[in-house]
Amino acid sequence: MPERRTVALVTLGCARNEVDSEELAGRLEADGWALVEDAEEADVAVVNTCGFVEAAKKDSVDALLEANDLKGHGRTQAVVAVGCMAERYGKELADALPEADGVLGFDDYADISNRLQVILSGGSVEAHTPRDRRKLLPISPAERQEAGTEVALPGHAPVDLPDGVAPASGPRAPLRRRLGASPVASVKLASGCDRRCSFCAIPSFRGSFISRRPSDVLGETRWLAEQGVKEIMLVSENNTSYGKDLGDIRLLETLLPELAAVDGIERVRVSYLQPAEMRPGLIDVLTSTEKVVPYFDLSFQHSAPGVLRAMRRFGDTDRFLELLDTIRGKAPQAGVRSNFIVGFPGETEADVAELERFLTGACLDAIGVFGYSDEEGTEAATYEHKLDQDVVDERLARVSRLAEELTSQRAEERVGERVEVLIEAVDDEEGAIGRAAHQAPETDGQIRFVDSVPGDGLEIGRMVVAKVVGTEGVDLLAEQCEVLEASDRPHGAGEGTGR
C-alpha cells in the first residue's frame, strides 16, 4: 500500500484565516492526505498568507521562503501559497516569488487535493488570476444567497448531514478538521464586506458581504463542542451586518442564544463589530444572554470627524463615548477593544488631540495603534496631503504610549473583580493561564494564576471563578476561587460583577 502523502498548513493573519486553513485541512484529509504539524515533515507545505498590510505581507513572504528552505533537506518537496495575499496578487506574487511552487486562489480550494497532487507530481498549476470579488455577487444583498452557491466562499463549507437525518437532530460534521487542541475555536459567520472604507482593500479580494445560514453556523458549533471546544468566537469582516442578505438584519440577536444553548459550549464571543451599525437589541443580547460574553470588539479607527469622513466612516468622539456609556450601563464590566490608525492623509494635530481625548475617556481594555501606509487599490492611496513618514512615526509612538498607559490603568481597575476564566494552558513554570470574558484570544491580555499547583482543578478547558489580585501591563494576576461545572454557572452574561 503506497505511503500517504503528507501536508502541513502554515497559517498567518487573523482568525478568519485559521478557519479557512481548517476547511482546507478537512478537504485534504477527506481526500486521503495525512496532516502533519511541522512543514519539515510534510511532502508539501501550504502557507495560508495574509494580504492586509505591508507588515503582514512581509511575514507571509518570509514564511514562504522559510518553507522553501526545507526543500532538499528533508521530506518537503513543494511549497504552495494560498490565502489573502495569494488571492490578491496571484500571478504577480508567483512571478516575484518563484520559490513558491504554486499560488492558488479561493476558487482552487474546492479542488485543493488535485492541485497539490499535480504540483507534487512535477506538473504546474497556473497561478491564480486576481479579480475584483465584489463583482461576483449581486449588488442587492437579497439576491446574494442563491448566487453565493456559485462563488467560492472559504470557511462557508456547509455542514454535512447523514442521509435520513433531520436538520434538528443528529451529528453534524462540517468540512473542517481542527489543527490543534485548543478549547477555543473560531466560526465563520459571514464573508466579505459592503463597507467602502477608503484605506481598506479587503472587499476587493474577499468580496461583498454574504452571511452563512444559521443552520450551518449552529451545526458547526455543535460539531466543535463534540471536539471539546468550550468557547467559540464568531468571526467575519463585519458581524453587525449578519443576516441582511437573509432578510433579517436582527438575525444575530436570535442566533446568539441558540449558540449559547449548545451542549458543551461555555462561552460565545462576537468579534468585528461596526460602531455605526450597533443596535439597541444587539447590545441587549450581548450584555444579558447567559454564556454570551459582554465583549465589544468595536472598529472605531479614529474619533476626529474630519478624519473619519476621509476614511468613509461615521461617528465622532462624543457619539462613540455615548455608545460606550450605553454598553457599560447594561454591563459595567464589559470588555471593549478597538484599533486605530494615526497619520491618515490630512490628519492634523487637532485631530490627534481629539483621538487622545476619546482614548482617555473610553477606558478600553485593549488598543491597537497602527501608522497609516498606502495600500494599492484603495481610495486613500490617491489622496493628497500625505504626511511625512517621520510625522506618522512620531504620532504612532505618541499614541501607542498613551494606549499602553491607559490599558494598564484599565487593567488595574479590575483588581478585586471576580471573573470567570477559561483555562487555556498549564505550564510547569508559569502555572495556569487563561482568559476572562473581556479578553479575546491572541489580541487581548490574559490571566495568570499566582497560586496554581498540579491537581487543583486548573485544567485546560475548565471554567473557574477567580479573583483578580494584581496586574502585569494588560495581563491580570488572579487567585482561584472555585471550579465551575456546567450546572454551576450563574444566569447572566458569563462574567461575575462582584468585588
Side-chain angles (χ1 to χ4, degrees), residues 358-379:
F358 171 69
L359 292 174
T360 302
C363 297
L364 303 179
D365 291 279
I367 300 171
V369 186
F370 302 90
Y372 173 81
S373 62
D374 284 339
E375 276 296 313
E376 59 184 287
T378 64
E379 181 183 357

Side-chain angles (χ1 to χ4, degrees), residues 273-317:
L273 300 169
Q274 288 292 338
E277 298 181 33
M278 288 301 295
R279 304 175 294 276
L282 181 55
I283 295 174
D284 286 343
V285 170
L286 288 170
T287 55
S288 66
T289 306
E290 184 178 2
K291 296 188 180 181
V292 175
V293 294
Y295 176 80
F296 294 81
D297 176 10
L298 293 163
S299 178
F300 289 120
Q301 302 298 345
H302 212 284
S303 73
V307 176
L308 286 168
R309 301 304 176 269
M311 289 179 169
R312 303 294 184 199
R313 297 179 66 82
F314 307 94
D316 55 48
T317 295

Side-chain angles (χ1 to χ4, degrees), residues 267 269 293-295 335 419-421 435-440 493-495:
R267 183 181 280 173
R269 186 182 303 276
V293 294
Y295 176 80
V419 295
E420 289 184 15
V421 182
R435 291 177 299 102
H438 70 278
Q439 298 167 317
E495 183 78 355

Side-chain angles (χ1 to χ4, degrees), residues 27-243:
R27 291 181 181 277
L28 289 166
E29 187 172 65
D31 235 354
W33 290 76
L35 298 166
V36 296
E37 185 174 343
D38 296 327
E40 61 186 8
E41 299 175 2
D43 294 314
V44 56
V46 177
V47 179
N48 192 347
T49 61
C50 179
F52 182 36
V53 294
E54 286 304 319
K57 286 183 273 190
K58 181 181 183 303
D59 288 344
S60 295
V61 171
D62 289 345
L64 287 163
L65 293 174
E66 183 178 342
N68 181 70
D69 288 342
L70 298 174
K71 291 192 293 188
H73 300 284
R75 180 162 182 160
T76 309
Q77 303 172 48
V79 177
V80 175
V82 299
C84 291
M85 190 176 180
E87 175 65 36
R88 184 176 181 184
Y89 295 104
K91 290 182 177 180
E92 182 182 343
L93 176 62
D95 292 340
L97 197 70
E99 291 86 352
D101 300 286
V103 176
L104 308 180
F106 298 152
D107 294 333
D108 293 304
Y109 283 19
D111 199 28
I112 185 68
S113 178
N114 287 335
R115 299 287 194 273
L116 299 189
Q117 291 282 13
V118 169
I119 291 170
L120 278 180
S121 299
S124 62
V125 175
E126 185 176 357
H128 165 67
T129 301
R131 52 180 172 168
D132 189 340
R133 297 192 73 86
R134 290 172 294 190
K135 298 179 180 179
L136 301 183
L137 292 170
I139 294 177
S140 169
E143 299 175 3
R144 289 180 188 166
Q145 285 294 319
E146 183 174 353
T149 61
E150 305 300 322
V151 175
L153 297 169
H156 281 231
V159 175
D160 295 326
L161 293 174
D163 292 340
V165 176
S169 64
R172 298 166 177 213
L175 195 57
R176 177 174 181 174
R177 199 269 201 185
R178 296 213 69 205
L179 298 173
S182 170
V184 184
S186 296
V187 176
K188 275 275 186 83
L189 194 61
S191 287
C193 186
D194 288 341
R195 302 183 71 86
R196 293 296 178 260
C197 300
S198 62
F199 56 84
C200 183
I202 289 176
S204 66
F205 56 85
R206 278 289 184 178
S208 298
F209 183 90
I210 185 165
S211 305
R212 289 185 77 190
R213 293 199 171 273
S215 57
D216 284 339
V217 178
L218 274 165
E220 188 164 324
T221 299
R222 293 188 180 107
W223 178 81
L224 287 168
E226 292 174 354
Q227 308 302 304
V229 168
K230 300 300 180 182
E231 175 180 331
I232 62 163
M233 184 168 72
L234 301 178
V235 298
S236 76
E237 281 73 20
N238 178 10
N239 281 332
T240 34
S241 283
Y242 180 70

